[in-house]
Amino acid sequence: MSDYGHELIFGSFTTPGNDDPDRTVGLAVLAEQVGLDLVTFQDHPYQPRFLDTWTLLSFVAARTHRVQLSANVTNLPLRPPAVLARSVASLDLLTDGRVALGLGAGAFWDAIEAMGGRRLTAGEGVRALEEGIEVIRQIWDAEARGGVRVDGEFHRVVGAKRGPAPAHAVPIWLGAYKPRMLALTGRRADGWLPSLGYLQPGDLAKGNAIIDDAARGAGRSPRDVRRLLNISGTFSTVGRGQLNGPAEQWARELADLALGDGVGTFKRQLLHYSNFY
């Protein structure tokens, strides 16, 4: 059992398609109306069939009043961390503290490189992400003395002014699957955010163990890291597999994920995509 004692949160994970912007925004508004806690959107800046995620989040923020908002997850290789930090803090101030920051090290490198981003190896991506987190946290630490200074291998900020501070302690959630990313999650992040469809049986337990060990090694409690999960599935009258069946089956399986694997936040995918680029 790996119950980390987090309050259960339910949300949506929406593809930001631009073929019908009203539907994309409408799904976010509906999520709030039906009582969900969180609205998230994919972030693939190289995809011309998608609305820009941070523009969309700002628009949705103005159309909602209660739900928390996040990219799921932000493509850091195409979003400079110092600028991203100010974007996040600004939206958090405008929404009175409703923003979270999902971050990813990057994937689909051909598309990232085509957009002007730097192609990185898996190890380089993890190191770049850790540097980016440091830049972001220093920008948000508006009361600290001196400017932001991170002289990294991939991100270099030399004396930038700090601020603004966000309206609340914005959590940073990492989309992580491999051991180095999971260890970084335990050391530096506030949440682990994988997608169930990319996991094999037992991967949640293995990931939790790596995160917990890394958190303890960094002087943190494993409870400092919320466990989030993107899910997809179908409601039907007959069970046909995991999260594919009647509501009672969904309730049992989600309870097992919460109590057995410590998942505290579930986000259901609402729209599907076929090709990224």
Side-chain angles (χ1 to χ4, degrees):
M1 301 290 283
S2 299
D3 182 3
Y4 294 94
H6 296 143
E7 179 185 3
L8 282 178
I9 291 175
F10 295 92
S12 62
F13 174 31
T14 304
T15 302
N18 60 24
D19 56 332
D20 189 349
D22 288 342
R23 173 175 168 77
T24 300
V25 174
L27 285 170
V29 173
L30 179 62
E32 178 172 84
Q33 291 173 344
V34 300
L36 294 182
D37 309 293
L38 174 63
V39 167
T40 71
F41 297 99
Q42 299 175 45
D43 182 39
H44 297 284
Y46 39 76
Q47 173 51 269
R49 296 201 302 272
F50 287 178
L51 297 164
D52 173 73
T53 296
W54 279 94
T55 305
L56 175 60
L57 284 168
S58 297
F59 191 88
V60 168
R63 294 282 304 274
T64 56
H65 306 281
R66 178 187 54 78
V67 288
Q68 195 174 21
L69 304 164
S70 180
N72 188 354
V73 291
T74 305
N75 189 298
L76 189 64
L78 290 175
R79 300 193 184 275
V83 178
L84 176 63
R86 291 204 168 119
S87 297
V88 173
S90 297
L91 189 57
D92 199 56
L93 289 165
L94 289 165
T95 60
D96 195 24
R98 290 198 283 132
V99 177
L101 177 57
L103 278 178
F108 306 101
W109 290 104
D110 288 345
I112 289 171
E113 193 172 43
M115 286 285 287
R118 177 180 173 182
R119 181 185 292 270
L120 302 176
T121 66
E124 289 172 338
V126 175
R127 297 198 301 275
L129 179 56
E130 186 158 17
E131 292 175 7
I133 292 171
E134 180 61 25
V135 171
I136 290 166
R137 292 202 188 279
Q138 285 197 36
I139 289 283
W140 290 346
D141 190 7
E143 298 302 316
R145 295 173 62 87
V148 175
R149 295 196 175 274
V150 176
D151 191 8
E153 181 183 0
F154 304 96
H155 300 294
R156 186 169 182 266
V157 182
V158 287
K161 292 183 186 242
R162 296 173 182 267
H168 83 305
V170 173
I172 294 178
W173 304 329
L174 299 190
Y177 297 93
K178 299 297 180 64
R180 282 177 293 194
M181 279 287 289
L182 292 165
L184 173 59
T185 303
R187 291 195 311 272
R188 300 296 306 273
D190 306 297
W192 176 31
L193 176 51
S195 293
L196 185 59
Y198 293 152
L199 298 174
Q200 298 299 318
D203 281 354
L204 284 172
K206 293 174 185 175
N208 280 335
I210 294 172
I211 290 169
D212 293 353
D213 287 345
R216 294 188 190 99
R220 311 175 70 204
S221 166
R223 290 194 175 196
D224 293 340
V225 184
R226 174 173 280 274
R227 317 302 157 114
L228 308 96
L229 189 63
N230 294 322
I231 60 174
S232 60
T234 302
F235 287 96
S236 60
T237 56
V238 178
R240 296 183 175 87
Q242 187 177 32
L243 299 181
N244 187 343
E248 295 82 0
Q249 175 186 330
W250 276 69
R252 288 194 306 271
E253 292 176 354
L254 294 182
D256 287 344
L257 288 166
L259 296 174
D261 292 299
V263 178
T265 300
F266 295 96
K267 296 177 298 334
R268 187 185 177 203
Q269 189 168 349
L270 297 183
L271 291 176
H272 297 279
Y273 52 85
S274 55
N275 295 308
F276 283 109
Y277 50 87

